[in-house]
Amino acid sequence: MDPGTHPAQPPPDDLPRLLLWRWRRNPLRRRSDLVQAWIALGLFLAVLAAVPAAMFLAGDAAYRHHLRTARHEAATRHSTTAVLVHDAPRHPEPGSEEARQTRYPVDVRYSDAQDRTRTGRADVLPGLPAGSTVSVWTGADGRLTDPPMNGDQIRSRTMGTALAAALAVPLVAAAVYRYAGRCLERRNLARWHADWARTAPRWDAYQ
């Protein structure tokens, strides 16, 4: 074969026959081939029915979970003002879009919900001088933490969970199909060995 050429591919008209060969009657088709074809069809239909259900159930459960988490965070986290202890690092490209999105961790001083003075590290805009004030959130333990989850975050995480559930369904179906195929193949080999054990003595008698 010429190195620049590729192996011949089946013509497009033959692809449906290759995909559906287990359904066609022919002398080489085994009973297990037909069983495997029915398994494939059943799993395909199951995936079509299960994907929407899995997305809804997983998404609904995730939404409820994240909503409870957001409410708990809103009830236990406290917004306060912090003062920078020292200057924040300057961005290499001041005024750029990247600079507006960049945050640097800087030591800050703040008061917790019990009005106790604390220090911690908060992410702030580049170039802020010492003494500047920034808004921070503290948890029930008085330490700095992220703000409570908002509606956009809840929706984003819910959609991520629903999408993961939708992708998991065909993966599980593919694993089941592969396992079933291996079981059928082992059964075919066992039957072949049994048939050969009965045929071999007669075959040797003709030699």
Side-chain angles (χ1 to χ4, degrees):
M1 179 182 298
D2 182 61
T5 62
H6 298 281
Q9 299 295 326
D13 294 341
D14 291 341
L15 290 179
R17 289 187 297 172
L18 290 174
L19 295 175
L20 302 176
W21 69 270
R22 288 189 174 93
W23 296 98
R24 294 185 289 109
R25 291 182 178 275
N26 64 81
L28 298 179
R29 189 187 71 179
R30 300 164 297 185
R31 183 179 180 181
S32 60
D33 295 329
L34 187 58
V35 170
Q36 193 169 358
W38 279 108
I39 292 175
L41 178 60
L43 288 173
F44 176 74
L45 296 177
V47 167
L48 292 181
V51 165
M55 291 185 66
F56 173 79
L57 294 175
D60 182 66
Y63 175 78
R64 293 175 184 273
H65 168 73
H66 294 310
L67 184 61
R68 288 194 301 268
T69 301
R71 289 173 176 172
H72 175 73
E73 291 176 350
T76 58
R77 297 183 180 183
H78 171 68
S79 177
T80 186
T81 300
V83 179
L84 272 66
V85 176
H86 54 77
D87 296 344
R90 294 185 177 276
H91 194 274
E93 300 178 2
S96 65
E97 182 65 25
E98 182 182 355
R100 286 191 288 270
Q101 297 178 359
T102 301
R103 300 293 184 272
Y104 290 111
V106 177
D107 292 335
V108 296
R109 186 181 298 111
Y110 63 96
S111 298
D112 61 17
Q114 287 73 38
D115 203 28
R116 293 174 298 188
T117 301
R118 289 173 172 263
T119 57
R121 293 181 71 82
D123 294 333
V124 303
L125 289 168
L128 287 179
S132 299
T133 58
V134 293
S135 295
V136 295
W137 286 85
T138 61
D141 58 359
R143 296 182 180 179
L144 295 179
T145 186
D146 295 327
M149 200 183 314
N150 58 37
D152 290 339
Q153 291 173 318
I154 293 174
R155 284 189 293 272
S156 176
R157 297 181 184 186
T158 298
M159 292 177 61
T161 302
L163 180 60
L167 295 175
V169 171
L171 290 177
V172 171
V176 171
Y177 178 77
R178 185 175 181 180
Y179 175 77
R182 287 185 175 181
C183 290
L184 291 172
E185 187 63 26
R186 285 196 295 266
R187 182 178 178 184
N188 289 337
L189 289 174
R191 292 183 62 183
W192 184 89
H193 285 300
D195 291 342
W196 178 249
R198 290 192 298 269
T199 305
R202 289 181 291 174
W203 180 268
D204 293 338
Y206 289 114
Q207 299 300 318

